[in-house]
Amino acid sequence: MQTMRHTTFALTLAAVRALTTAPLHDVTPLIKSAPLSNKLNCDVFFKMDCAQPPGSFKLRGIGATVKEAVENGADGVVSSSGGNAGLATAHAARALGIACTVVLPTTTPDAVRRKLEKEYGAEVIVEGAVWDEANERAKQLAAEYERPLVHPFEGETTWKGHSTLVQEVDEQLAEIGKKMDAIVCCVGGGGLLAGVLRGVGTRDDCAIVAAETHGADSFAQSFKAGTPATIPITSIAKSLGAGTPSPIVLRDALSSKRVHPHVVSDAAAVRACVDRLDALYREADSRERL
């Protein structure tokens, strides 16, 4: 187990000001993919939430949850994460001037741990072979420190924050006279899916594809069984490695009648990423030649 010294921060003037300003997340670009649009004979867009300050959509919901914790008087928060949720929690905590402790499983890359420590000043604890085990330790620390636990994918405030992604896409598409017919999102524990469900609301003209890789497909298996299932995580997609999905999100997905699980191999997922990068390279190269 690796730890840093537990520290306490006073609420700063910057934190107080931040509580009355805009959300911590940024509005991100919506980019049309010409190769995929041509291949599928429809308009395909990428919502570029990888451009969020900590590198993923997680800041939308987790930023809102950390903000809520500060509004309720917290001087710090505790997070358990395979990577992205911890980075979002640490980013939000630093922006609001409070302490942050992140518990990572041993499968999390060292680069994530170093970034948490050096860029965000978070206390980092590495414990457990998988996220579920790290989360148990995080619960203990939250009780010990008397600080809120920021769950990586549970919580209504987090889900509402994630729903802003759908609202942004709707607004961006409306600007060019289009609307969303389907949205494809990855699923780990189900936090993003919960936000998408809330963003889509009751309209029946938008399908939701919940994508996972084999070996991290606890949601797909749970969806098929109609009840939460727990699986061992064997996929290389470690950030999707929740052994059991949120039971509330599963319930909402089953009742929505618009969610369609889709599971691919690790090899297919990697190949798609490589193909996408190759297409971007060819596009950039052709522009340089003009």
Side-chain angles (χ1 to χ4, degrees):
M1 179 177 74
Q2 304 173 24
T3 65
M4 290 178 61
R5 184 173 59 85
H6 169 53
T7 54
T8 301
F9 293 85
L11 189 63
T12 64
L13 178 60
V16 175
R17 288 174 176 168
L19 293 176
T20 60
T21 60
L24 297 174
H25 68 266
D26 294 338
V27 174
T28 55
L30 184 71
I31 299 176
K32 183 176 179 178
S33 169
L36 282 179
S37 297
N38 293 334
K39 183 176 182 178
L40 300 176
N41 196 31
C42 64
D43 292 327
V44 178
F45 295 85
F46 287 111
K47 180 59 172 165
M48 303 300 290
D49 254 34
C50 55
Q52 293 292 350
S56 85
F57 75 91
K58 293 274 188 178
L59 183 59
R60 292 178 180 273
I62 286 178
T65 293
V66 174
K67 209 170 184 183
E68 183 179 71
V70 174
E71 290 170 345
N72 291 333
D75 67 345
V77 290
V78 179
S79 167
S80 62
S81 171
N84 286 334
L87 290 169
T89 304
H91 175 90
R94 185 185 66 171
L96 295 170
I98 63 171
C100 178
T101 300
V102 182
V103 185
L104 304 172
T106 57
T107 53
T108 301
D110 287 342
V112 173
R113 175 177 58 80
R114 290 193 297 269
K115 186 172 183 177
L116 284 166
E117 294 173 344
K118 295 180 179 180
E119 294 188 25
Y120 296 119
E123 175 188 22
V124 177
I125 296 173
V126 180
E127 186 165 316
V130 293
W131 168 80
D132 303 75
E133 295 173 1
N135 189 51
E136 289 303 312
R137 178 58 175 155
K139 290 178 183 177
Q140 296 171 1
L141 289 173
E144 178 184 332
Y145 293 172
E146 297 183 340
R147 287 174 172 166
L149 175 68
V150 179
H151 198 282
F153 55 81
E154 295 279 20
E156 195 60 50
T157 300
T158 293
W159 299 337
K160 184 177 179 181
H162 291 337
S163 73
T164 61
L165 185 149
V166 179
Q167 295 162 10
E168 278 181 24
V169 171
D170 281 336
E171 292 168 0
Q172 290 166 321
L173 288 176
E175 291 177 358
I176 56 174
K178 297 184 181 294
K179 70 179 185 68
M180 181 165 52
D181 298 309
I183 183 166
V184 180
C185 71
C186 58
V187 182
L192 176 58
L193 177 59
V196 169
L197 282 165
R198 280 152 181 75
V200 170
T202 58
R203 70 196 203 203
D204 57 6
D205 60 349
C206 183
I208 301 170
V209 179
E212 295 172 290
T213 51
H214 289 293
D217 55 333
S218 61
F219 175 79
Q221 293 194 32
S222 299
F223 192 92
K224 183 177 181 180
T227 188
T230 300
I231 68 168
I233 303 301
T234 58
S235 170
I236 62 173
K238 301 303 181 185
S239 62
L240 300 183
T244 307
S246 164
I248 299 175
V249 178
L250 176 63
R251 180 202 66 195
D252 292 349
L254 287 166
S255 63
S256 76
K257 306 300 183 184
R258 64 168 63 90
V259 176
H260 307 277
H262 184 72
V263 182
V264 301
S265 67
D266 282 340
V270 171
R271 186 166 58 250
C273 292
V274 172
D275 288 348
R276 169 62 181 161
L277 289 172
D278 185 56
L280 287 172
Y281 174 81
R282 290 198 304 270
E283 183 177 344
D285 184 60
S286 65
R287 286 176 178 174
E288 289 182 1
R289 293 173 183 273
L290 293 177

